[in-house]
Amino acid sequence: MLAFGSAATVLGLVIAVVVVRLTHRQAQSLKHQAMFDALTDLPNRLLFADRVQQAILVARREQRVFALIAMDLNRFKIINDTLGHHIGDLVLQHVAARTRACLRESDTVARIGGDEFVILLATISDLDGALIAAKKILAALADAPTLGGHSVDVGASLGIAIFPEQAQDAETLQRRADAAMYFAKQSHSGYALYSNTLGQDAEDRNALQGELRHAISHDQLVLHYQPKIDFKPGHVNGVEVLVRWNHPMLGLLAPDKFIPLAESSNLIKPLTVAVLRGALRQCEAWRRAGIDLSVLVNLSAVNVRDPEFPDKVAAILAEFSVPPARLELEITEAALMSQPALAVACIKKLSRMGLQISIDDFGTGYSSMAYLKELLVAKIKIDRSFVKDMASNHNDAVIVRSTVELGHSLGLKIVAEGVETQEVWDQLHALGCDDAQGYFMSRPLSATDFSAWLKHSQWAAGERVETNIVDLKTA
Ligand code: C2E
Ligand code: CA
Ligand code: CA
């Protein structure tokens, strides 16, 4: 019994060892599969990412540089489509082997997608090292090998990005190498080094667009408020809402840095919705505190061309206890004229909902005031380029005066923007202009700064401004 028991124990041990061995081998194989590309046996995206991360740590610690090369084959798709997948696979294996063979042991060549390869040159001492390696790769792939009985001329395009000069993290480094690669491909130059001018193209635009999308949905947009002053009582009657982007790396960005990007990518729609909500939320808060101010929100041409926009505005308005008349929408003359039929339909609808519509930057386009009146537009904002220097420029003064006169004769209210000096304020006041905005009264302010402005400014309280106007008249 004892002997049998021992034999069974030994057998059990043997089986256990075999099982452990097998699972160890299987585990090794699974590990290999997880980190290497089955077709070329090159490291895959996962392992490559790990190596780049290691390279970043070493380079930071030892204050060294390294390069990342993105490589794409020039004619792979055509070869694959015309000669078949089998030849396509042979091409990829050929490229992998040749590239691997011409570089140092310490470099990593990886396949991260169809015909996309990446190369990590971890031990270069300078940029020249990367350029030499790129030329070596191109030379290694220059001949047209015979694969599966076909002579195939593959050709490759390489894009180089250097750490830390051109990017300080793995993701940016990869994007920049890709951008350089696209440039090399388009210009048929074989290889290209990432440069900052190159980066301003598609790559940075795409990155910024992604970040803007994130910013809109993650409350990174900040609203600033610039008071609009009514000349008659001489105090603030509304605020223009001006958006800024609080970018985590670049700081507070002005609208001209991202509105054009938003407009060209349709992100302007969610952006406008976010601004409208923010503006109405603030307006509601002020109303609760006993401050009755209109909020003026800027629209883009994309918004006024969108047939669903008026309904969207109505739905947002319904979320807040703000009367529609306290929401003013500003549409530039240029936006109005770009697609007049759609814009007109939109403006009429918004106006019938009880909202105030004003035409922004008036004087820069070719719309006629009589036409605007027909559109149910309530206000015209004279562009700041005419207002700013009207005290010293006679032509500007004439344009402003005739705009005020003609507008009034048609029953439109006239707002002047860009009032920077007391002199301009006085002239506009004398012309009977209705409202004014400008640095002279206040720059756009954050909500907190605007609250402080409301407490202390001469334009915030009726009586003090009356005194001020008397002063102005006698000055
Ligand atoms: P805008 O609608 O003409 O807005 C007035 C711009 O003039 C603001 O620039 C404001 O800071 C500036 N400004 C105000 N007073 C003066 C002054 O006395 N002198 C001078 N020189 N400038 C003055 P900002 O905030 O940089 O906005 C620029 C433009 O960005 C706006 O021009 C508007 O077209 C656009 N924008 C701003 N916020 C939004 C938004 O939420 N949506 C859309 N679609 N566009 C927006
Ligand atoms: Ca405006
Ligand atoms: Ca304007």
Side-chain angles (χ1 to χ4, degrees):
M1 280 299 284
L2 194 76
F4 178 73
S6 309
T9 311
V10 171
L11 185 66
L13 275 174
V14 169
I15 291 171
V17 168
V18 171
V19 168
V20 169
R21 282 244 168 96
L22 268 181
T23 50
H24 180 67
R25 201 174 297 148
Q26 279 174 335
Q28 287 290 75
S29 150
L30 279 177
K31 204 171 154 196
H32 190 86
Q33 277 174 35
M35 294 204 272
F36 289 84
D37 168 44
L39 181 70
T40 60
D41 208 32
L42 289 179
N44 64 11
R45 188 186 286 278
L46 205 70
L47 181 53
F48 187 76
D50 187 59
R51 298 247 170 109
V52 173
Q53 220 49 58
Q54 292 301 324
I56 290 177
L57 292 177
V58 173
R60 276 198 192 129
R61 195 172 55 231
E62 298 176 8
Q63 305 214 318
R64 292 212 333 238
V65 302
F66 72 88
L68 193 148
I69 302 184
M71 175 166 87
D72 220 46
L73 305 184
N74 294 341
R75 285 171 286 278
F76 182 71
K77 193 174 162 5
I78 266 196
I79 293 167
N80 215 27
D81 290 351
T82 54
L83 302 178
H85 293 279
H86 172 61
I87 303 291
D89 286 354
L90 293 177
V91 166
L92 293 171
Q93 285 169 336
H94 166 83
V95 169
R98 284 281 178 95
T99 309
R100 183 56 278 168
C102 75
L103 296 171
R104 293 181 188 163
E105 200 69 46
S106 53
D107 298 331
T108 300
V109 180
R111 177 173 172 240
I112 56 169
D115 64 340
E116 282 174 72
F117 295 82
V118 272
I119 297 132
L120 170 68
L121 304 174
T123 52
I124 52 160
S125 52
D126 53 20
L127 170 63
D128 283 347
L131 298 179
I132 291 168
K135 286 181 202 163
K136 268 201 216 165
I137 298 170
L138 288 174
L141 302 176
D143 61 346
T146 304
L147 299 168
H150 296 273
S151 167
V152 279
D153 180 10
V154 220
S157 298
L158 277 61
I160 309 164
I162 309 283
F163 177 95
E165 195 182 318
Q166 291 154 345
Q168 279 95 51
D169 63 89
E171 202 188 318
T172 314
L173 195 64
Q174 176 74 56
R175 270 197 288 112
R176 304 215 144 149
D178 282 344
M181 188 273 290
Y182 286 121
F183 181 81
K185 205 168 218 181
Q186 276 168 2
S187 57
H188 305 284
S189 57
Y191 66 91
L193 176 71
Y194 176 85
S195 74
N196 290 331
T197 44
L198 176 69
Q200 295 310 312
D201 301 341
E203 181 234 348
D204 273 3
R205 257 180 80 84
N206 283 344
L208 210 59
Q209 230 168 60
E211 288 176 29
L212 181 58
R213 180 171 296 117
H214 179 85
I216 295 169
S217 55
H218 288 77
D219 276 348
Q220 277 175 16
L221 296 184
V222 178
L223 302 184
H224 280 193
Y225 304 91
Q226 185 180 37
K228 177 166 72 76
I229 316 294
D230 184 341
F231 276 103
K232 283 222 179 75
H235 60 73
V236 56
N237 63 0
V239 289
E240 176 164 10
V241 182
L242 295 155
V243 69
R244 278 95 181 87
W245 175 6
N246 195 6
H247 190 284
M249 308 284 283
L250 305 172
L252 205 63
L253 297 179
D256 61 330
K257 294 277 182 300
F258 61 93
I259 293 281
L261 183 76
E263 286 178 332
S264 65
S265 62
N266 248 356
L267 282 174
I268 193 70
K269 290 184 180 178
L271 183 144
T272 305
V273 167
V275 173
L276 274 169
R277 276 219 175 87
L280 289 168
R281 190 174 300 125
Q282 184 61 68
C283 184
E284 191 179 61
W286 282 327
R287 292 176 75 77
R288 275 206 210 102
I291 303 161
D292 181 20
L293 291 174
S294 292
V295 280
L296 289 54
V297 172
N298 291 284
L299 300 186
S300 144
V302 179
N303 300 128
V304 285
R305 273 187 230 136
D306 174 9
E308 290 166 10
F309 184 69
D311 289 342
K312 242 181 254 169
V313 175
I316 297 168
L317 253 173
E319 294 171 24
F320 302 91
S321 56
V322 173
R326 286 292 174 269
L327 177 59
E328 282 188 37
L329 298 179
E330 300 194 351
I331 299 163
T332 63
E333 208 185 359
L336 170 67
M337 302 315 277
S338 71
Q339 285 249 358
L342 286 175
V344 165
C346 182
I347 290 174
K348 284 192 170 165
K349 228 171 162 181
L350 290 166
S351 184
R352 289 197 183 108
M353 281 160 50
L355 276 68
Q356 304 276 309
I357 305 292
S358 44
I359 300 301
D360 205 354
D361 303 348
F362 187 80
T364 57
Y366 302 95
S367 53
S368 86
M369 266 202 226
Y371 174 64
L372 295 180
K373 177 72 188 164
E374 257 178 58
L375 294 186
L376 309 176
V377 161
K379 286 181 192 153
I380 277 173
K381 251 184 154 172
I382 310 176
D383 191 64
R384 62 180 177 277
S385 61
F386 302 107
V387 176
K388 222 162 91 36
D389 302 320
M390 63 181 282
S392 53
N393 184 315
H394 179 68
N395 282 348
D396 287 350
V398 170
I399 291 170
V400 173
R401 191 197 317 131
S402 40
T403 308
V404 173
E405 284 170 3
L406 186 59
H408 280 168
S409 71
L410 288 164
L412 293 163
K413 287 215 169 226
I414 309 293
V415 185
E417 61 174 22
V419 178
E420 294 185 359
T421 61
Q422 172 95 59
E423 256 181 307
V424 170
W425 167 273
D426 290 347
Q427 279 192 10
L428 290 164
H429 195 216
L431 288 175
C433 184
D434 298 284
D435 295 351
Q437 268 176 265
Y439 294 169
F440 177 56
M441 295 82 85
S442 171
R443 287 183 175 257
L445 302 168
S446 67
T448 318
D449 289 347
F450 182 71
S451 296
W453 183 90
L454 270 181
K455 283 198 189 100
H456 301 112
S457 170
Q458 57 175 329
W459 314 102
E463 326 86 78
R464 289 183 61 191
V465 177
E466 276 308 321
T467 326
N468 184 283
I469 290 173
V470 172
D471 285 345
L472 292 183
K473 279 182 185 156
T474 51

